[in-house]
Amino acid sequence: MALLEVKNLEKDFKEVKAVDDISFKVQKGEIFGLLGPNGAGKSTTISIISTLLKPTKGDIKYKGESIVKNSKLIQPKLGVVPQEIALYPELSGYENLKFWGHAYNIRGKKLKKRIEDVSEIIGVKERLKDKISKYSGGMKRRINIGAALLHEPELLIMDEPTVGIDPQSRNHILETVNKLNEKGTTVIYTSHYMEEVEAICTRINIMDKGKIIASGTKDELIEIVNGNKKINLKFDKVSKSLIKDLESIEYISKLDVSENEIIISSNNSENIFKDITEVVTKSDSSLTSIDINKPNLEAVFLHLTGRALRD
Amino acid sequence: MLSIIKLRLMRLRNDYFVFVFMTILALGLSFVMGSSQSGNYKPTVPIVNSDSSEYSNLFIEELKNSKNYNFTLTDYDNAYKKVDEGKVLMALIINKGFQRDINNNKMPKVSIIKTKDDIEILTTENLIKTNLAKLKNNVNIAKVTTDYISGIKDVDKKNIFNKAYDLSLENWEYKRPMSVTRKTITDGKWSEFDNFKHIIIGFTLFFSMYTIVFGIGEILNERKYNTWQRQIVSPLSKGAILGGNMVITFMIGIIQVGVLIMASKYLFNVDWGSSFLGIMTVSISFVFTVTSLGLFLSGIVKTHSQLAAISPVILTSTSMIGGAMWPLEIVNSKILLFLANLTPQKWAIEAMEEIAMYNGSFNSVIYPSLIIIFMGIIYFILGIKLIRFE
Ligand SMILES: Nc1ncnc2c1ncn2[C@@H]1O[C@H](COP(=O)(O)OP(=O)(O)OP(=O)(O)O)[C@@H](O)[C@H]1O
Ligand SMILES: [Mg+2]
């Protein structure tokens, strides 16, 4: 049985259909990615899963039981890292963690220990006595995540946890997610940065305009656009015979030739490098550089919607 | 619920400012307003007698009897000048035809020169109106009596008129301050309405309302900080979230009222009567109701700044209507007096004055306290219905 099952979920806000009939399953131990541009409906989906919002239609089951009907089933097991910083600015990092620990029924010595462990994980130990309002954006993000970890949640939901922070904090956060996952935490990770989702997620849903437009592992998704693999070759000189020989390779769909450069578009990837190498060695041109444009999720999104993921 | 209470204790820094501010405002303003209205201060009111008749003289004489004012005769130009220069608050003009109007059984006309409206002027105007009505009535009674008697006998009309007038005037003496008469009967004691005490009680309640409403309004700040949403998705129940905030606000409110009562007692020597339990009961009921009112208001608005915008309007207007600024005794409008009954302030002030001013017993606060609590329950129910948990 899946840990979480989302079934025909819909959410209407007056005029807007924020989530439009989506279904998916999250298995235990996964890092499940929700990728999509601004306004795709990621946060809305996550708000419904975390019991903040009620769906207009559809159901969500946690270990087979509906949490739409009974939110108490999932709440103690769930860690939620909201998109916006949700902390008390006039309290210190320590006091914030203390309260959120309390809210999840952790008390006394255990709470102290957990605050220590968590601040270690998120790397804010030295600054814990300072007020949140004095923290940098990255520090706030880290405490924002820490507040969701105190009760060792079974399922951790993170809504764009890296928005607007420095690359160092960002890498730290991604590492943290991986570490938590290794220890058994299932993660739902939302982002509109495809690099992040590519880097850590085991399975990915691509959302757009309230719908899931593609889902699968990263490789499965990239398979969708594999027809568009591009290889960029540079030579000291380009001869007619070289072009002719390359054209004769059947799965090369297109050749863009300029002065010293040939860009190859191909459908199939398996033999392409071997075949190209053979042709090039035979010719009297010598290769100066080779650059392979691997398709990524950005390309998948572009392919599916005709729009870029980020504007 | 305990975790919310602990949270609010950690966050007291937020409430603390409002608390201190309201304490200072309440005490400071009570002191300023109280000292200008009580004690030996007797405002001077110039009178211009343009009628110079028997009745206008009677009227002036009667006004001069008033203990709290210094009525002096002068001419129009002088009176106008004094008001204009701010040396006196107002001047009274007895218009020509004063006596004729009374003789024709019409309400005689008097005018007031003033540059503004304030509580003191309103009180003075009220005194003048009362005396005017009194004069007209007395003259009528005296006239009827004189006519009647002189119809039977040939007597000294003038003498009879004067006697009848004095007699009916005497009657008024007993009827005049309603509350005093009532107290005289029930307690056998003669105590007077104490304006300074009234202001202290009114301001204690009025300024506490701010502390309380902003105290419960903290839940709107939670929404701003997004911590509200985080609390909702945590295992904290809605009851615990609201309950914790209500309890802590209630306690802050009780402390606020307590501090103001104590401060007025020891700083200004205000005597709060002999029923501590009574004062406590009214305070507790009132603070509960205002906490619920705050919950209700927080349910209507979306943000804390909206709450900060509507609270002064609502709290000030209901406090005015409810008599926290000036005694309801000077209000004539039936509508306003009816509306006063709908404010918790009115009942709380009445109940507290019963004890602090007229030395009433605990029993006298039971009924008003129940009414206050009843209002609180209504606000509470509306409040829970309106607060959004999304
Ligand atoms: N409370 C709300 N009331 C009305 N419309 C809303 C509300 N919340 C979201 N929406 C709308 O629903 C749509 C989806 O919003 P959502 O926040 O779920 O997108 P998102 O994928 O999280 O985007 P982002 O990357 O910007 O966070 C948007 O068009 C948004 O304007
Ligand atoms: Mg979002």
Side-chain angles (χ1 to χ4, degrees), chain A residues 129-240:
Chain A
K129 291 273 177 289
D130 295 352
K131 276 187 186 184
I132 292 289
S133 54
K134 301 243 160 73
Y135 281 21
S136 69
M139 296 286 284
K140 283 184 196 163
R141 284 275 160 205
R142 291 179 189 209
I143 300 279
N144 202 37
I145 294 171
L149 301 179
L150 293 152
H151 59 292
E152 300 176 85
E154 192 173 5
L155 177 60
L156 179 65
I157 299 187
M158 308 178 92
D159 194 355
E160 312 213 15
T162 59
V163 163
I165 60 172
D166 57 293
Q168 198 192 342
S169 286
R170 187 174 174 185
N171 286 338
H172 188 274
I173 288 171
L174 292 178
E175 275 167 34
T176 308
V177 176
N178 269 328
K179 268 190 227 156
L180 289 166
N181 181 248
E182 276 161 26
K183 285 188 190 148
T185 314
T186 307
V187 181
I188 299 181
Y189 192 96
T190 293
S191 181
H192 60 253
Y193 294 113
M194 62 98 198
E195 308 90 339
E196 288 183 2
V197 174
E198 273 189 356
I200 62 169
C201 294
T202 44
R203 273 196 320 128
I204 300 156
N205 265 353
I206 301 183
M207 283 190 78
D208 186 41
K209 297 181 176 163
K211 287 194 191 309
I212 296 175
I213 54 172
S215 73
T217 63
K218 179 186 147 199
D219 291 339
E220 283 167 1
L221 288 173
I222 286 172
E223 201 53 40
I224 300 174
V225 285
N226 242 348
N228 280 327
K229 179 166 280 183
K230 282 198 169 85
I231 301 169
N232 199 336
L233 303 168
K234 277 186 184 150
F235 301 92
D236 56 345
K237 61 176 195 286
V238 175
S239 64
K240 284 238 170 77

Side-chain angles (χ1 to χ4, degrees), chain A residues 13 16 18 36-45 83 159-160 192:
Chain A
F13 294 112
V16 197
N38 291 125
K42 307 181 295 292
S43 294
T44 308
T45 307
Q83 182 169 356
D159 194 355
E160 312 213 15
H192 60 253

Side-chain angles (χ1 to χ4, degrees), chain A residues 50-54 75-76 80 82 84-91 95 99-100 102-104 107 131 144 147-148, chain B residues 2-4 6-7 10-11 13-14 218 222 224-238 389-390:
Chain A
S50 59
T51 71
L52 183 62
L53 293 179
K54 290 257 176 249
Q75 281 172 346
V80 183
E84 318 284 346
I85 305 284
L87 301 168
Y88 299 98
E90 81 279 12
L91 295 186
E95 288 169 319
F99 168 67
W100 293 112
H102 264 290
Y104 282 87
R107 302 277 135 95
K131 276 187 186 184
N144 202 37
Chain B
L2 209 61
S3 25
I4 297 286
K6 281 187 179 165
L7 169 76
M10 287 199 285
R11 299 186 64 217
R13 284 165 236 171
N14 275 24
E218 269 303 305
E222 297 256 11
K224 186 174 87 192
Y225 298 150
N226 300 306
T227 45
W228 181 249
Q229 292 84 326
R230 203 171 204 158
Q231 284 182 9
I232 293 167
V233 303
S234 81
L236 291 168
S237 68
K238 287 172 196 175
F389 277 95
E390 283 211 339

Side-chain angles (χ1 to χ4, degrees), chain B residues 196-268:
Chain B
F196 183 60
K197 208 177 256 186
H198 178 85
I199 287 173
I200 285 280
I201 293 175
F203 279 13
T204 295
L205 298 176
F206 173 57
F207 287 104
S208 302
M209 290 180 91
Y210 279 93
T211 310
I212 300 167
V213 168
F214 286 126
I216 195 79
E218 269 303 305
I219 57 180
L220 293 167
N221 270 335
E222 297 256 11
R223 211 171 275 155
K224 186 174 87 192
Y225 298 150
N226 300 306
T227 45
W228 181 249
Q229 292 84 326
R230 203 171 204 158
Q231 284 182 9
I232 293 167
V233 303
S234 81
L236 291 168
S237 68
K238 287 172 196 175
I241 296 174
L242 284 187
N245 281 299
M246 289 276 295
V247 167
I248 202 81
T249 305
F250 177 80
M251 292 193 311
I252 293 171
I254 290 291
I255 295 170
Q256 174 78 85
V257 172
V259 162
L260 289 176
I261 289 177
M262 287 300 150
S264 66
K265 185 167 173 167
Y266 293 109
L267 287 179
F268 305 145

